[in-house]
Amino acid sequence: MNRDTLIGFVLIGLVLVGFAWWNQPSQEQLDAYQRQQDSIAAVQKEAEMARIAEAEQKKAAAEAAAEGDSTALFFSALNGTSQPVVLKNDQVELTFDTKGGTLTKAVLKNFTDREGHQGVTLFEGEDQQMGFLLAGKQDNIITRDLYFIPSNLSDSTVTMTAQANGGGSIVLDYRLGPDHLLHFSLQANGMSNVFAPNYKSMDVEWSDHCRQLEKGFSFENRYTAIFYKEANDGSTDNLSETSDKNEKVEQPLDWVAFRNQFFSVALISKDNFEQDAELSSTLNEKGSGYLKQFDAKLKTAFDPTGAKPSEFEMYIGPNDIRLIQDVEKQSQFGKNLDLEQLVNLGWWLFRLINRWFTLYVFDWLSSLGFSMGIVLILITLLLKAITFPMVKKSYMSSAKMRVLKPKLEEATKQYDKPEDQMQKQQAMMQLYSQYGVSPLSGCLPMLIQMPIWIAMFWFVPNAIQLRGQSFLWMEDLATYDPIVEWGTHIWGIGDHLSLSCLLFCGSNILYSWFTMRQQRDQMVGQQAEQMKMMQWMMYLMPVMFFFMFNDYSSGLNFYYFVSLFFSSVIMWTLRKTTNDAKLLAILEARYKENKANPKKQSGLAARLEAMQKQAEELQRQRQQRK
């Protein structure tokens, strides 16, 4: 190392030492820094001590509160271990929790879930909660806070007991029937001194976070709601399926039910639920795995002396009318429960059709061992056979007007002015009467068919027999059958295309084409021009149906497809087998007969003739005034 390099290192060292000496803190600065560190440590220590004190205070407050409640009534029952207790039969498996002493899980054994696994879990854990609130003179008793001791345990029975200080107890006694009906009661023993002498009712709080059990969220949601029946043979009603709803029911109730599309849990009170029951339904978002949040705040009779228990029953099962009818006979309350209203078969007219016709036909065809898809086809063919005479009558009425069209045009060609349209219509009706043709006869048969068509709109989506049943390309007739799916929801379409819906819309277009052609062939003058505009509206209907039915069950779309397809076939067959020349000859013979004997003309003809004369007289009077 040369001299210059050595001098350079020495100078750099002196600079660094001088810089460090120059920047070292003074004693005052060192004292201030120490005080700052001590202050931070003190604050941290104080915060930690405060946190520990707060935790201990909360713990002590909780223990004090528990001790305060328990010293009056329940000490041991406020402390315990949550344990499951299972009751089961061939149809259901019910799990109860010793914490609260109520039902926490329900599994229907003989059904598969939407993934194809055996057993449908209606609710589990926190999804469903039930609690009884008893208002004492000093303290409230909330059964959800108590730990019960199970006894008398078997596959079908269990007694849950919460022991109170001084020998009293709250007893929940459960007994499972042979299928879907659970009997239970609540009784307070040896606790009459706890309640006021005039205390005669207790509160029941029941909630259910209703699970999505089927593939189609939107479709299932349309048929999921809170149902209830007014006491003393009152009517059955339900909260809105499509919006959030809170309702206070003014009448006493026999039962309240949380109903999915295909399954229900109904709570029945022997002594009725008192008036002003509060019911609430809140919609959930798609993808959450839940449809709605149901809440019911009820009141029912309670005997504080313990001489008479408060008795209840629960129906936990499918929405199957025949099964519900059988289960209802097991009720021990002697009421007309009318639980079959849980199967929504439509408004009163459509319900009558479904209840006393469609259901019996469906049961009969199902008993023959046919698959559900074949049953839908056979129901369609049976309905077509029943309505064929009316359909043929409607078609023949249209055919008669079609073959008379040239004569109508000739007879009414002088009435081409807009102000002559009434006279033109009267002349047409007069001519129809002379030929023995009634234009109205083609309308009534079609109107008779419409209630059947609409009734099936309600029946098929609520037929649990279709759930999980496959046919042809449709894996489940109770939900949609996608041929294309995508992850993003598109407004008006959803996230899939349903093949059965496309077939339904296609058959609707075909049937509309036949219908419009038939009507166009019988129109005269301006009516034919107006028909051209109307036919575009008719062709738009299948497009509207696509947006409505793309999310509906494949069973319903398939039924409509088959129905409209056979209707088109019937229309085509009648058109091909009708001899227009022969039909016109028959009408001409009738015309001559009516001309020879005017008295044979219908009363409609006489009324039309009188109307025509009256119109002519009015027109003559107007001309005279001018």
Side-chain angles (χ1 to χ4, degrees):
M1 182 181 296
N2 57 30
R3 186 181 61 180
D4 293 338
T5 302
L6 181 60
I7 293 173
F9 277 115
V10 171
L11 290 175
I12 291 172
L14 292 174
V15 169
L16 292 175
V17 172
F19 182 79
W21 176 81
W22 180 262
N23 286 282
Q24 68 178 349
S26 64
Q27 186 62 40
E28 291 80 4
Q29 289 175 323
L30 291 173
D31 294 341
Y33 177 76
Q34 186 62 41
R35 288 193 299 269
Q36 182 182 15
Q37 293 300 313
D38 294 341
S39 178
I40 292 175
V43 170
Q44 290 177 340
K45 184 176 181 180
E46 183 178 353
E48 180 65 17
M49 293 295 291
R51 186 187 64 80
I52 294 173
E54 182 180 3
E56 291 179 351
Q57 185 178 8
K58 288 182 178 180
K59 182 178 179 181
E63 292 176 352
E67 183 179 358
D69 290 338
S70 62
T71 53
L73 293 173
F74 295 92
F75 176 74
S76 60
L78 286 171
N79 300 277
T81 303
S82 175
Q83 295 179 349
V85 176
V86 177
L87 302 185
K88 58 185 178 181
N89 56 29
D90 293 337
Q91 306 295 327
V92 299
E93 182 175 300
L94 307 179
T95 303
F96 300 81
D97 196 336
T98 55
K99 173 68 182 297
T102 53
L103 184 63
T104 58
K105 182 178 180 181
V107 179
L108 303 182
K109 294 182 177 181
N110 298 328
F111 295 89
T112 57
D113 63 17
R114 57 178 172 166
E115 304 298 332
H117 303 136
Q118 191 64 32
V120 171
T121 301
L122 300 185
F123 53 81
E124 183 176 12
E126 298 296 322
D127 290 348
Q128 197 267 170
Q129 295 185 9
M130 181 180 293
F132 303 93
L133 174 62
L134 307 173
K137 289 186 290 187
Q138 294 182 348
D139 300 296
N140 292 332
I141 303 172
I142 304 173
T143 58
R144 275 193 296 229
D145 296 337
L146 305 180
Y147 288 88
F148 288 75
I149 300 172
S151 61
N152 190 30
L153 182 60
S154 68
D155 283 346
S156 60
T157 62
V158 65
T159 300
M160 297 278 197
T161 304
Q163 198 68 41
N165 295 347
S169 63
I170 298 292
V171 179
L172 287 164
D173 192 65
Y174 294 96
R175 180 169 55 86
L176 179 61
D179 36 47
H180 296 274
L181 196 64
L182 175 69
H183 310 264
F184 70 99
S185 64
L186 183 146
Q187 191 170 15
N189 296 324
M191 300 181 63
S192 57
N193 61 326
V194 173
F195 305 101
N198 60 347
Y199 184 66
K200 300 297 181 182
S201 64
M202 67 176 177
D203 293 273
V204 182
E205 294 185 352
W206 184 30
S207 66
D208 182 23
H209 205 183
C210 188
R211 290 186 172 191
Q212 179 185 346
L213 300 176
E214 315 303 327
K215 181 170 69 173
F217 174 86
S218 300
F219 188 65
E220 185 182 4
N221 229 340
R222 291 186 183 99
Y223 299 93
T224 300
I226 297 180
F227 276 65
Y228 58 88
K229 179 183 176 294
E230 296 177 358
N232 303 319
D233 293 329
S235 61
T236 303
D237 204 349
N238 64 279
L239 270 61
S240 171
E241 299 96 335
T242 58
S243 62
D244 294 348
K245 184 69 174 180
N246 296 288
E247 185 171 330
K248 181 176 287 188
V249 185
E250 297 179 354
Q251 300 297 323
L253 303 177
D254 278 332
W255 52 260
V256 175
F258 297 158
R259 195 201 77 164
N260 282 71
Q261 181 182 2
F262 292 119
F263 306 100
S264 292
V265 180
L267 179 62
I268 309 160
S269 174
K270 181 178 182 179
D271 297 311
N272 303 334
F273 293 114
E274 299 176 3
Q275 60 186 20
D276 295 332
E278 297 180 22
L279 307 177
S280 172
S281 174
T282 306
L283 296 172
N284 289 159
E285 293 292 332
K286 183 177 181 179
S288 66
Y290 295 92
L291 302 171
K292 293 180 173 75
Q293 173 67 42
F294 292 147
D295 293 283
K297 294 183 178 180
L298 313 165
K299 286 182 178 291
T300 191
F302 172 72
D303 182 4
T305 67
K308 178 184 176 182
S310 300
E311 296 186 61
F312 304 90
E313 291 175 337
M314 289 186 78
Y315 173 76
I316 307 166
N319 300 331
D320 184 333
I321 284 185
R322 301 304 186 205
L323 176 62
I324 289 174
Q325 289 174 336
D326 292 339
V327 171
E328 192 170 325
K329 296 176 183 177
Q330 303 170 21
S331 174
Q332 300 174 357
F333 296 164
K335 293 183 176 184
N336 177 24
L337 296 176
D338 202 19
L339 283 170
E340 67 178 57
Q341 295 292 333
L342 291 172
V343 184
N344 192 355
L345 297 179
W347 303 323
W348 71 270
L349 175 60
F350 310 124
R351 185 174 184 87
L352 286 176
I353 295 172
N354 286 326
R355 179 66 182 83
W356 301 107
F357 173 76
T358 312
L359 186 60
Y360 282 93
V361 173
F362 191 85
D363 289 344
W364 171 59
L365 293 174
S366 300
S367 67
L368 299 178
F370 295 115
S371 68
M372 291 298 105
I374 297 297
V375 167
L376 290 176
I377 295 175
L378 293 177
I379 287 179
T380 306
L381 292 176
L382 180 61
L383 292 174
K384 293 301 177 186
I386 293 173
T387 58
F388 178 76
M390 294 181 290
V391 172
K392 185 176 181 181
K393 183 178 181 180
S394 174
Y395 174 81
M396 293 307 297
S397 177
S398 300
K400 291 173 183 178
M401 290 188 287
R402 183 183 69 244
V403 298
L404 288 176
K405 180 179 178 180
K407 294 184 177 295
L408 290 170
E409 290 178 337
E410 180 64 25
T412 60
K413 62 182 180 181
Q414 68 270 29
Y415 304 117
D416 286 339
K417 296 180 181 179
E419 60 269 21
D420 296 335
Q421 291 305 306
M422 179 179 289
Q423 290 178 294
K424 181 176 184 177
Q425 189 69 24
Q426 291 173 348
M428 290 172 58
M429 296 300 292
Q430 181 69 23
L431 195 61
Y432 281 141
S433 179
Q434 291 172 347
Y435 277 96
V437 176
S438 175
L440 299 179
S441 64
C443 301
L444 184 59
M446 300 306 295
L447 292 176
I448 293 175
Q449 291 186 84
M450 284 304 296
I452 298 176
W453 217 67
I454 298 174
M456 293 299 290
F457 173 83
W458 291 97
F459 179 82
V460 174
N462 287 286
I464 193 171
Q465 293 85 349
L466 299 179
R467 184 182 183 274
Q469 297 297 310
S470 62
F471 183 68
L472 299 178
W473 70 90
M474 296 167 285
E475 296 181 357
D476 186 351
L477 290 170
T479 187
Y480 59 84
D481 54 321
I483 53 171
V484 179
E485 291 185 277
W486 52 87
T488 305
H489 179 82
I490 300 177
W491 183 86
I493 299 178
D495 55 5
H496 66 275
L497 288 178
S498 176
L499 178 57
S500 60
C501 181
L502 294 175
L503 291 174
F504 159 45
C505 295
S507 63
N508 200 348
I509 292 174
L510 179 64
Y511 181 72
S512 298
W513 181 80
F514 275 115
T515 304
M516 299 300 294
R517 180 184 175 186
Q518 178 179 321
Q519 293 178 355
R520 185 178 63 247
D521 290 345
Q522 68 190 42
M523 297 297 179
V524 178
Q526 291 185 353
Q527 291 179 337
E529 294 299 322
Q530 294 173 355
M531 197 65 187
K532 292 180 181 179
M533 296 297 297
M534 186 177 179
Q535 67 181 359
W536 292 109
M537 296 178 61
M538 294 294 291
Y539 289 142
L540 283 175
M541 287 186 63
V543 178
M544 296 173 57
F545 282 147
F546 168 76
F547 291 107
M548 292 174 57
F549 284 84
N550 187 47
D551 208 32
Y552 272 57
S553 69
S554 57
L556 181 63
N557 282 321
F558 180 71
Y559 166 77
Y560 282 151
F561 159 65
V562 173
S563 178
L564 288 170
F565 175 79
F566 281 116
S567 294
S568 301
V569 170
I570 291 171
M571 295 283 287
W572 180 83
T573 303
L574 289 173
R575 184 71 176 87
K576 288 297 182 181
T577 56
T578 301
N579 189 323
D580 288 359
K582 185 177 180 180
L583 181 60
L584 181 59
I586 294 173
L587 293 175
E588 290 288 1
R590 187 177 298 169
Y591 176 80
K592 293 177 181 179
E593 183 180 356
N594 289 334
K595 277 290 186 180
N597 187 7
K599 293 182 180 181
K600 291 189 64 177
Q601 294 188 47
S602 65
L604 176 62
R607 289 192 296 271
L608 288 172
E609 186 176 355
M611 290 173 59
Q612 184 175 3
K613 290 181 179 179
Q614 185 179 4
E616 290 174 353
E617 179 64 23
L618 289 173
Q619 187 174 5
R620 186 182 62 80
Q621 292 176 1
R622 292 194 194 99
Q623 290 175 351
Q624 288 178 352
R625 293 192 191 100
K626 293 180 180 178

